[in-house]
């Protein structure tokens, strides 16, 4: 009877460990991130085909800069990331018309609010 209980507990714990290891995030390439960001902007801002291609090129360039500024195993260079983000925003604003710029500004504010809300809800990492 003890052996049966021990075996059952062993199998349950092994199953739990297997599920716990599947929560890792899959890292996206800069191109995948750029494509996703461009599609999201296309939906929100009703971009033309020309604007979409220009913004996708801007996004790819920006995401590659961010990736290059953060070699594996090193801390993120927040200054370089912020600079790349600001440069991307300026270039995107140059491509957009006035109506789209206003919508883009609202979109960025909405994303910032979502990010803050997610940060508050996220569990604290053990140090």
């Amino acid at each position: 009877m003890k052996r049966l209980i021990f075996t059952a507990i062993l199998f349950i714990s092994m199953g739990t460990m297997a599920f716990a290891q599947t929560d890792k995030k899959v890292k996206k390439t800069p191109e995948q991130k750029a494509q996703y960001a461009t599609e999201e902007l296309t939906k929100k801002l009703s971009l033309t085909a020309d604007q979409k291609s220009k913004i996708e090129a801007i996004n790819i360039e920006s995401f590659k800069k961010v990736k290059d500024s953060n070699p594996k195993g090193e801390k993120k260079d927040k200054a370089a990331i912020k600079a790349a983000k600001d440069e991307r925003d300026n270039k995107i604003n140059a491509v957009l018309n006035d109506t789209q710029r206003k919508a883009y500004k609202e979109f960025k504010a909405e994303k910032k609010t979502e990010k803050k809300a997610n940060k508050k809800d996220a569990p604290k990492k053990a140090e």
Side-chain angles (χ1 to χ4, degrees):
M1 184 66 178
K2 287 182 184 177
R3 186 178 256 179
L4 180 64
I5 293 173
F6 177 73
T7 306
I9 291 173
L10 181 67
F11 280 117
I12 290 170
S13 64
M14 287 173 50
T16 303
M17 287 189 308
F19 282 114
Q21 293 179 2
T22 59
D23 287 343
K24 297 216 177 205
K25 271 188 165 179
V26 176
K27 297 282 184 183
K28 294 180 182 174
T29 65
E31 290 80 9
Q32 290 171 323
K33 290 179 184 179
Q35 185 178 14
Y36 176 78
T38 305
E39 289 301 323
E40 198 169 21
L41 286 176
T42 301
K43 290 176 190 171
K44 292 283 183 178
L45 306 177
S46 302
L47 299 176
T48 64
D50 184 47
Q51 287 176 321
K52 182 179 176 181
S53 64
K54 288 178 182 178
I55 288 177
E56 187 165 18
I58 292 167
N59 282 333
I60 289 172
E61 177 188 341
S62 177
F63 288 125
K64 281 184 179 181
K65 278 184 184 178
V66 169
K67 184 178 181 188
D68 293 343
S69 72
N70 185 25
K72 289 190 180 216
E74 292 186 20
K75 277 187 150 183
K76 290 183 180 178
D77 185 0
K78 291 184 180 182
I81 293 171
K82 184 172 179 8
K85 183 178 177 185
D86 290 343
E87 183 182 346
R88 181 178 75 228
D89 286 343
N90 290 335
K91 287 181 179 180
I92 288 175
N93 277 322
V95 173
L96 303 176
N97 63 35
D98 292 335
T99 311
Q100 290 171 326
R101 269 190 217 101
K102 184 178 177 188
Y104 182 57
K105 187 176 181 180
E106 292 171 3
F107 173 72
K108 288 192 317 182
E110 182 182 305
K111 283 292 190 184
K112 191 174 187 177
T113 306
E114 284 178 17
K115 189 173 182 178
K116 282 183 180 180
N118 287 339
K119 203 176 248 189
K120 287 180 184 178
D121 294 341
K124 302 267 181 184
K125 288 184 179 180
E127 293 182 27

